[in-house]
Amino acid sequence: MSQQSLFITTPLPVSTIQPPSLISLSYRVAAEKVAMWEIQHRFKTEVFVSSRPKEDKWHLTSNEFWYWDRIIESGKSYMVGDIPTQEYLRKFSSPLSKWQKLAYVWAIENPDSILDVETSRHEWQVYTRGEYVEFSLPHQDKGGERNYVTRNGKTKVLVNED
């Protein structure tokens, strides 16, 4: 008398072991909320953190400024004019703060959304744009009109200041 194995001995195709999309969606939503909570708790002051889908043409349409080299050259031209790129990067780069590092990861994991981080002094918008993540302060009365970009999640480069 032969015994049958209680375990499947043939490998399952990859498609059969993937989680159902409903579970996957629930997991992504939960992970996004945890990430937003972690960002919120990096501040010592009151902060409001939310997300929304990208809807504006600026965020959705690919153009020449979606490329790292092009946004750096554009920022250099706008900010200081004709200096060597390495000098510009040295002068206008700064490290990301702890919350910005978390926001960078969030943006990479949520390329179709914008993260809004609002404190009493700043109103940040964080999102992927082509080859980089942009940290934008779009309102004059909430931190000035400034745009920073990063592609490594460690340092940001100021590319616009009005």
Side-chain angles (χ1 to χ4, degrees):
M1 179 172 181
S2 68
Q3 258 185 327
Q4 288 189 350
S5 173
L6 296 175
F7 303 103
I8 299 172
T9 57
T10 57
L12 292 173
V14 174
S15 62
T16 62
I17 58 174
Q18 301 237 349
S21 61
L22 183 59
I23 292 172
S24 175
L25 178 61
S26 296
Y27 175 78
R28 282 197 329 258
V29 169
E32 180 180 357
K33 288 182 185 215
V34 167
M36 289 174 22
W37 181 87
E38 288 176 353
I39 291 166
Q40 188 171 11
H41 285 83
R42 295 291 179 185
F43 289 87
K44 293 180 178 14
T45 62
E46 188 175 348
V47 63
F48 180 71
V49 179
S50 62
S51 68
R52 58 191 160 93
K54 289 180 181 175
E55 296 174 343
D56 189 280
K57 181 180 174 183
W58 169 258
H59 301 112
L60 297 171
T61 306
S62 173
N63 63 30
E64 65 180 306
F65 299 108
W66 276 45
Y67 302 98
W68 177 256
D69 292 339
R70 184 62 186 116
I71 196 67
I72 294 301
E73 286 303 312
S74 175
K76 180 180 83 165
S77 174
Y78 180 75
M79 298 292 295
V80 294
D82 190 27
I83 67 169
T85 301
Q86 290 304 320
E87 184 179 337
Y88 167 72
L89 291 173
R90 194 171 38 256
K91 185 174 180 180
F92 288 91
S93 293
S94 59
L96 292 179
S97 67
K98 289 180 182 178
W99 81 263
Q100 289 171 332
K101 288 177 182 178
L102 292 170
Y104 171 83
V105 171
W106 182 95
I108 297 295
E109 292 176 353
N110 298 278
D112 297 329
S113 298
I114 297 171
L115 182 69
D116 293 308
V117 179
E118 185 175 356
T119 69
S120 61
R121 295 177 43 201
H122 296 96
E123 190 171 318
W124 292 94
Q125 294 177 359
V126 183
Y127 48 88
T128 56
R129 188 155 191 267
E131 296 181 341
Y132 54 88
V133 171
E134 185 161 345
F135 286 81
S136 175
L137 288 165
H139 307 292
Q140 190 64 39
D141 60 340
K142 285 287 200 161
E145 294 177 11
R146 295 183 186 158
N147 297 78
Y148 300 87
V149 296
T150 180
R151 68 175 175 179
N152 64 10
K154 296 176 184 175
T155 58
K156 62 187 182 288
V157 181
L158 180 63
V159 294
N160 179 39
E161 184 173 40
D162 285 335

